[in-house]
Amino acid sequence: MHKLNTAAAALVIAATLCSQEKNPGYTDTPILPDGFRVHDANRPRPPVVDPGPGAETPARAPKDAIILFDGSDLKAWRGRKGDAAWKLVEGGAMEVARTGDIQTREDFGDCQLHLEWMAPPPKGHSQGRGNSGVFFCGRYEVQVLDSFENPTYADGQAAAIYGQKPPLVNVTRPPGQWNVYDIVFVAPRFTDDGALKSPAKLTVVHNGVVVQLDEELLGPTSHKSLPKYRAHPPRGPIKLQDHGNPMRFRNIWVRPLRLERFCLGKLCLRS
């Protein structure tokens, strides 16, 4: 009887693992305002769209851009305990070195960010394969993930607003090819007493395709939990995540945005 029970338990575990691999995600997490759970295993995945071949050389930065990384050094970045310790590699890229996250020395609020990333040869699956992320103000993440023929929960795939909004489509290129993000971030506004005045917003163009358009964030991104805003300064660091995979990044630049408008001699504020 004991052997039968053990065998039955093993079959249940194997079936569960198989189901999780085919349909990664959770069924016991909090429910988002749109009715889906955070990292919902049953949320439909975005359709796949071929974005076409990538450029052979990195895109040139605008004249007014602040260069965060051009392949020569990591001076614009710092690690948890000092200088950034990621590796400089061929092709003007840097590679995650399992030394922890890195973030910009300078703080940014409203901005346009360009970066290019490449996943390593496939190893693992779902969130364990080619995982990183780019964070604005150190807390609002656009997911970086090898989502080429790699099923995962919809709000955790490449170009998702992590744990909140899946991308409209999946345009991820295969491992070994460069993916391009062009992101517009609008920081949240708070009143003097710390209440939320207007939420953070993100627009994401992935490989030339709009996948997030002026999406309002529910709060800082997080794993398996509902977000909640807490007042913070209008600017913060841009952070790249070390999730343990040897992801590569190149050609990173940012343009701080002034969203004010002048209207017939007076200053008109966007928000």
Side-chain angles (χ1 to χ4, degrees):
M1 180 65 72
H2 177 70
K3 290 183 178 180
L4 287 175
N5 287 341
T6 302
L11 286 172
V12 170
I13 292 172
T16 300
L17 290 174
C18 181
S19 175
Q20 287 176 346
E21 288 184 9
K22 291 181 179 178
N23 202 31
Y26 301 88
T27 58
D28 59 351
T29 47
I31 296 176
L32 295 161
D34 61 14
F36 290 104
R37 293 184 180 277
V38 178
H39 315 321
D40 199 324
N42 298 310
R43 186 168 193 157
R45 299 188 188 103
V48 175
V49 173
D50 183 353
E56 294 185 5
T57 57
R60 294 183 62 182
K63 290 292 186 181
D64 64 346
I66 297 171
I67 306 302
L68 297 177
F69 180 70
D70 63 3
S72 58
D73 58 56
L74 293 167
K75 291 180 180 178
W77 303 83
R78 60 184 176 88
R80 293 174 179 172
K81 298 180 180 180
D83 294 339
W86 289 12
K87 297 186 294 185
L88 296 178
V89 294
E90 70 276 3
M94 60 174 162
E95 183 176 290
V96 177
R98 299 181 71 93
T99 56
D101 303 341
I102 63 173
Q103 64 184 39
T104 55
R105 295 183 183 274
E106 187 174 349
D107 290 341
F108 301 95
D110 303 337
C111 65
Q112 173 189 351
L113 177 72
H114 176 97
L115 80 159
E116 302 174 21
W117 59 270
M118 179 191 290
K123 183 179 181 181
H125 66 278
S126 186
Q127 297 292 301
R129 173 175 153 183
N131 194 330
S132 183
V134 53
F135 293 74
F136 295 85
C137 291
R139 50 174 62 79
Y140 305 105
E141 181 186 11
V142 174
Q143 174 75 315
V144 172
L145 189 80
D146 177 5
S147 292
F148 183 81
E149 298 180 355
N150 177 36
T152 191
Y153 42 83
D155 63 15
Q157 74 163 70
I161 299 172
Y162 187 76
Q164 299 184 30
K165 304 287 180 77
L168 296 172
V169 291
N170 177 2
V171 292
T172 311
R173 293 193 174 108
Q177 295 185 24
W178 287 102
N179 286 269
V180 179
Y181 279 177
D182 287 289
I183 304 172
V184 175
F185 172 72
V186 178
R189 271 60 169 171
F190 300 94
T191 62
D192 291 340
D193 61 0
L196 180 67
K197 183 178 179 182
S198 61
K201 295 181 180 181
L202 278 165
T203 292
V204 182
V205 180
H206 182 190
N207 291 333
V209 178
V210 174
V211 295
Q212 306 277 3
L213 181 60
D214 204 29
E215 290 285 355
E216 294 187 354
L217 277 70
L218 304 173
T221 52
S222 58
H223 181 60
K224 295 177 65 176
S225 62
L226 289 175
K228 183 178 180 181
Y229 278 104
R230 291 183 174 83
H232 60 77
R235 290 176 293 278
I238 294 171
K239 181 174 71 174
L240 298 178
Q241 184 184 44
D242 180 348
H243 203 276
N245 302 128
M247 303 293 285
R248 291 188 174 188
F249 294 88
R250 72 176 185 183
N251 192 28
I252 308 175
W253 51 261
V254 64
R255 295 181 62 249
L257 299 177
R258 293 188 62 182
L259 299 179
E260 299 86 358
R261 298 282 192 257
F262 285 93
C263 305
L264 295 177
K266 64 179 180 180
L267 183 64
C268 300
L269 299 180
R270 183 183 184 277
S271 58

